[in-house]
Amino acid sequence: MLALTFSTGIVDAIGFLALDRVFTGNMTGNVVILGMAMTGATDLPVVGPLVALLMFFLGAMLAGRRLRGSPDGWSPATTVIFATVAICLALEGLAFLVFGATVFPYKTEAAAAVLGFVMGAQAAAARKVKVADVTTVVVTSTLTALAAESRFGAGTDQPWVRRVLAVTLILLGALAGAALLTVGLWVAFALSTAVTTAVLILGHRRMKTEDTADG
């Protein structure tokens, strides 16, 4: 899940820097952008963030439907969802590699829609896996808990290493995504696809190993 948090940083860098200031993982950002854009006094986009927001909701809803009845933790349904995320990222990266120079109507909005959908599905699956403080798409609550429960806050025991890693990895993911965009949009997609695929393979193998041990 920490690896997927890194991948989300890449995807959000793609959305914000290459898809006209659209957040495809961090929906709070889109809601704020929409609020400001609705004043009509800014040059902020409306269609892209709105499409990403709606598709994120749809992705999370359909993933929740697929996960219905599945046990908490990694399950076959989780594997299907993360495989779908990896495939969609790969196909979108391939599309930009092949057709990136071709201008066609609503290319940005279509790309944001796909990314919003898969990030919603990923977030729903991450909730089912249930790694505390690691939603893979946002770190606001993680950062709040890290500060509030620190030695200078409530002074309670906390999994601070995991929380620090979650915040750091989404930062590094955004850094990597921004850097790779200078090489090519498809390269950023390729790295996010590779990370998601690695998580998919390792998670599925672990599930199989645990099933065999239980059997």
Side-chain angles (χ1 to χ4, degrees):
M1 296 303 100
L2 286 169
L4 289 179
T5 302
F6 174 80
S7 179
T8 297
I10 299 172
V11 171
D12 263 339
I14 292 171
F16 194 82
L17 297 176
L19 303 180
D20 193 24
R21 293 171 291 181
V22 175
F23 288 106
T24 51
N26 178 13
M27 290 301 110
T28 302
N30 281 335
V31 172
V32 172
I33 287 174
L34 283 172
M36 293 186 294
M38 287 170 66
T39 66
T42 70
D43 63 346
L44 293 172
V46 174
V47 177
L50 181 59
V51 167
L53 184 64
L54 293 175
M55 292 302 290
F56 185 97
F57 184 87
L58 178 62
M61 181 174 63
L62 292 179
R65 176 78 178 188
R66 182 66 181 82
L67 290 162
R68 182 184 295 183
S70 298
D72 290 342
W74 201 286
S75 66
T78 311
T79 296
V80 170
I81 291 170
F82 286 137
T84 302
V85 173
I87 290 169
C88 288
L89 289 173
L91 290 176
E92 191 158 5
L94 181 62
F96 274 102
L97 174 62
V98 176
F99 305 109
T102 303
V103 178
F104 58 91
Y106 309 114
K107 177 176 67 174
T108 298
E109 289 79 6
V114 174
L115 288 182
F117 180 84
V118 297
M119 288 296 100
Q122 175 182 293
R127 281 177 57 86
K128 195 69 172 178
V129 175
K130 287 191 173 180
V131 176
D133 302 305
V134 186
T135 66
T136 76
V137 291
V138 291
V139 293
T140 304
S141 58
T142 303
L143 191 60
T144 301
L146 181 64
E149 298 175 12
S150 66
R151 181 179 300 177
F152 298 101
T156 57
D157 291 335
Q158 63 164 313
W160 65 269
V161 173
R162 184 168 61 217
R163 289 172 175 174
V164 169
L165 282 174
V167 176
T168 302
L169 284 170
I170 202 168
L171 170 67
L172 292 177
L175 173 63
L180 291 174
L181 285 175
T182 64
V183 180
L185 182 55
W186 71 271
V187 182
F189 273 107
L191 179 56
S192 183
T193 301
V195 171
T196 305
T197 302
V199 171
L200 163 67
I201 293 171
L202 292 173
H204 188 71
R205 284 182 176 176
R206 179 175 177 177
M207 179 192 70
K208 289 292 188 181
T209 301
E210 291 176 349
D211 288 347
T212 300
D214 292 340

